[in-house]
Amino acid sequence: MDFLSAGALIPLLVFGARVIDVSLETLRIILLARGGRLIVPAIAFVEILFWIVSLGLVVNEFTNPVYLISYGAGFAAGNYAGILLEERLAMGICVLRVITSEEDRALIDAIRAAGYGVTVVAAEGLHGPCTIFYSVVRRCDLLPIARVVEEMSPCAFCTVEDVRSTTRGTFPRSGEGTWSGIPRQAVRIGK
């Protein structure tokens, strides 16, 4: 009971509640931007419960610097944890744009073999003619596809942009329900 009477448990609870609260907040905001209408209210409910607990513990001891530091440290750690969580979940879809100095049929075929559509556009860059490939991919598949691009076309210039939803396109088939965090109704699978 010395641990409890020393007051070390409350700062740890404040820190932990803030980490959970801010992690959920980060995830909620990302899902809100991607149209996750059903899950966002549930996350918001749990998030606010943890926030109220942490705030309630600090308000009673507002002049105690240990409580204030644990509150602030929990906020900072929660932001970091939320970013890591979102990266691990890799929800949603994105556009992979690849710019190369020449049309690379092998690269196009490799991306298509992964089940994704590729749109090829002839363009002109600073150093003359070039080719732009566009492919809308699941974020969870982005790293493997980016590795293929890097191996097959190491001089290619690549950019990635988040996409809120798609209505048509060619994507690998997946299970029922949601598709990478987006309701299936917003995404047409296959052509």
Side-chain angles (χ1 to χ4, degrees), residues 43-139:
I43 292 173
F45 178 79
V46 175
E47 169 197 336
I48 203 67
L49 290 177
F50 279 97
W51 179 75
I52 289 171
V53 167
S54 66
L55 185 63
L57 292 169
V58 171
V59 166
N60 292 334
E61 296 290 334
F62 193 74
T63 57
N64 187 333
V66 174
Y67 284 42
L68 296 176
I69 290 170
S70 66
Y71 190 85
F75 181 78
N79 276 287
Y80 184 73
I83 291 167
L84 290 179
L85 178 64
E86 194 277 332
E87 286 175 358
R88 290 266 189 225
L89 293 175
M91 297 177 300
I93 53 178
C94 58
V95 172
L96 173 64
R97 181 185 303 115
V98 181
I99 303 173
T100 62
S101 58
E102 58 189 47
E103 184 174 316
D104 189 344
R105 291 306 312 168
L107 178 58
I108 294 167
D109 292 341
I111 296 172
R112 287 181 176 158
Y116 288 103
V118 179
T119 300
V120 182
V121 178
E124 185 172 333
L126 179 64
H127 302 291
C130 60
T131 303
I132 303 173
F133 310 110
Y134 293 95
S135 187
V136 178
V137 300
R138 288 181 268 196
R139 280 196 54 224

Side-chain angles (χ1 to χ4, degrees), residues 30-50:
I30 291 166
L31 288 172
L32 185 64
R34 293 195 177 137
R37 287 180 272 168
L38 298 177
I39 190 76
V40 166
I43 292 173
F45 178 79
V46 175
E47 169 197 336
I48 203 67
L49 290 177
F50 279 97

